[in-house]
């Protein structure tokens, strides 16, 4: 009879060790499969051209603010994450909108430069790239090569998202008007 002061003896050490090793192997396998999936997606998106380099002097800021970059997707498909050229890396970002375009300086990742001529618009939304943010995201549409992309940003002050949507929309209008005038001459 086992008394309350006595402890039971663990006699099945090989079973416990075997189960622990099996669980560790399963976790490692799942991690490896996730990594393979990420690399496969990068290979599928290898036809995406190199991103334009950010200019050293992007111009006078129309709007600027700190925030977070949440990722880029194919336009219209908020779950189709683009991982090529470091576009799938979530990071902090310092956003700057100028007459020349949108610059997202990202510490720890490549800066993202979207020229004004490539911008197609902006809106607020609740999610992008599988990330849902109840307080909302600023989603910027742009073209790159033959692809239409959307990039999601969360400014530190979510109340500023509407001002950014208006400013990007105005920049797109000015840029398209300028292109039309140049084509007419």
């Amino acid at each position: 009879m086992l008394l309350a002061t006595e402890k039971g003896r663990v006699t099945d050490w090989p079973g416990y060790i075997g189960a622990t090793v099996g669980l560790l192997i399963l976790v490692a396998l799942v991690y490896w499969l996730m990594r393979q999936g990420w690399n496969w997606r990068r290979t599928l998106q290898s036809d995406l051209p190199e991103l334009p380099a950010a200019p050293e002097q992007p111009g006078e800021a129309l709007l600027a603010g700190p925030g977070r970059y949440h990722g880029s997707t194919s336009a219209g498909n908020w779950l189709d994450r683009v991982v090529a050229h470091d576009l799938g890396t979530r990071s902090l970002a310092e956003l700057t909108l100028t007459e020349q375009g949108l610059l997202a300086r990202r510490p720890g990742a490549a800066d993202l430069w979207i020229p004004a001529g490539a911008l197609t618009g902006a809106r607020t939304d609740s999610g992008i790239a599988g990330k849902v943010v109840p307080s909302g995201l600023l989603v910027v549409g742009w073209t790159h090569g033959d692809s239409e992309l959307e990039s999601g940003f969360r400014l530190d002050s979510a109340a500023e998202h509407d001002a950014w949507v208006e400013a990007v929309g105005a920049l797109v209008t000015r840029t398209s008007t300028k292109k039309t005038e140049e084509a007419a001459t």
Side-chain angles (χ1 to χ4, degrees):
M1 181 164 155
L2 188 63
L3 297 175
T5 58
E6 296 179 29
K7 293 184 179 177
R9 299 178 59 136
V10 177
T11 57
D12 191 20
W13 280 108
Y16 290 123
I17 292 172
T20 302
V21 169
L23 183 61
L24 290 174
I25 289 172
L26 179 65
V27 168
L29 176 67
V30 168
Y31 176 77
W32 180 78
L33 288 172
M34 288 173 30
R35 186 102 168 118
Q36 291 301 105
W38 191 265
N39 288 335
W40 174 73
R41 181 174 287 275
R42 183 178 292 121
T43 301
L44 286 177
Q45 297 168 351
S46 63
D47 62 336
L48 195 65
E50 285 292 324
L51 296 174
E56 289 190 28
Q57 297 297 326
E60 186 176 329
L62 302 173
L63 284 174
R68 180 168 290 278
Y69 171 75
H70 282 277
S72 294
T73 63
S74 299
N77 188 351
W78 77 285
L79 291 175
D80 185 24
R81 178 186 292 271
V82 176
V83 299
H85 308 302
D86 216 15
L87 288 174
T89 305
R90 289 186 179 140
S91 62
L92 293 175
E94 180 68 36
L95 295 176
T96 306
L97 182 67
T98 70
E99 286 294 330
Q100 295 179 33
L102 176 68
L103 175 62
R105 295 217 183 267
R106 303 187 308 151
D111 291 344
L112 175 60
W113 169 249
I114 305 172
L119 290 168
T120 59
R123 69 177 193 284
T124 57
D125 209 332
S126 61
I128 193 164
K131 177 75 174 171
V132 176
V133 180
S135 56
L137 290 172
L138 170 67
V139 178
V140 177
W142 54 292
T143 58
H144 182 61
D146 295 334
S147 302
E148 292 188 29
L149 305 173
E150 293 179 335
S151 296
F153 302 94
R154 170 75 169 92
L155 295 167
D156 287 351
S157 174
E160 295 178 22
H161 287 173
D162 291 333
W164 279 80
V165 169
E166 283 183 35
V168 170
L171 180 59
V172 168
T173 301
R174 284 193 303 274
T175 304
S176 64
T177 302
K178 185 177 176 182
K179 284 182 185 177
T180 304
E181 289 173 357
E182 289 175 358
T185 57

